[in-house]
């Protein structure tokens, strides 16, 4: 099972940018689909973005055009570049992993990911 650690969260003003990183252990990182999810207090955990083993990407409508997910298999890392941040982006952000391929519709559902990081707080002020 891959181990995941998120970093890069913080406090920014609306319109600013942050870059989150997800560092993974193991020698088979390239075989995992990696997703980013976020959860605000009192809310359900929502899909943000995902990237497949071959680099195909999927984004929630709320972040499309503002966020970019990428992976560097040589460094065992996945990044989430967040631009034009809005107060409604405020949440704890988690990266998650699932071994092998999966249908696009399933990549948006948190319960189908088996490995999770501890989360990193992102706060966007107005």
């Amino acid at each position: 099972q891959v181990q995941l650690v998120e970093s890069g969260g913080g406090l920014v003003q609306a319109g600013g940018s942050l870059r989150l990183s997800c560092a993974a252990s193991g020698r088979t990182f390239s075989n995992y689909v990696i997703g980013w999810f976020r959860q605000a207090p009192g809310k359900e955990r929502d899909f943000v973005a995902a990237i497949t083993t071959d680099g195909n990407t999927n984004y929630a409508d709320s972040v499309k055009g503002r966020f970019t997910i990428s992976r560097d298999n040589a460094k065992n890392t996945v990044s989430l570049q967040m631009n034009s941040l809005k107060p409604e982006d405020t949440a704890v952000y988690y990266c998650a992993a699932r071994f092998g391929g999966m249908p696009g519709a399933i990549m948006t559902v948190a319960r189908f990911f088996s490995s999770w990081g501890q989360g990193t707080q992102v706060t966007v002020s107005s």
Side-chain angles (χ1 to χ4, degrees):
Q1 185 178 6
V2 65
Q3 306 296 316
L4 306 173
V5 179
E6 302 96 333
S7 63
L11 173 65
V12 297
Q13 294 189 26
S17 298
L18 280 175
R19 187 177 181 88
L20 305 183
S21 294
C22 176
S25 66
R27 295 188 294 270
T28 59
F29 172 76
S30 63
N31 297 123
Y32 285 83
V33 174
I34 304 296
W36 284 96
F37 295 79
R38 65 188 182 186
Q39 188 168 23
K43 303 292 185 179
E44 296 292 320
R45 187 167 297 185
D46 292 329
F47 170 76
V48 177
I51 187 164
T52 67
T53 55
D54 61 353
N56 191 37
T57 58
N58 192 8
Y59 297 94
D61 288 341
S62 59
V63 307
K64 194 171 299 181
R66 299 188 297 121
F67 292 10
T68 302
I69 188 172
S70 61
R71 68 190 300 160
D72 187 338
N73 290 335
K75 297 181 179 179
N76 281 14
T77 58
V78 169
S79 297
L80 184 68
Q81 178 66 45
M82 305 185 295
N83 298 325
S84 302
L85 284 162
K86 306 173 181 179
E88 51 263 44
D89 295 320
T90 296
V92 176
Y93 283 69
Y94 301 89
C95 64
R98 178 185 172 94
F99 185 80
M102 58 193 300
I106 303 301
M107 287 192 291
T108 68
V109 182
R111 66 185 177 93
F112 290 107
F113 287 82
S114 57
S115 300
W116 291 83
Q118 81 290 342
T120 186
Q121 177 71 49
V122 171
T123 303
V124 184
S125 62
S126 60

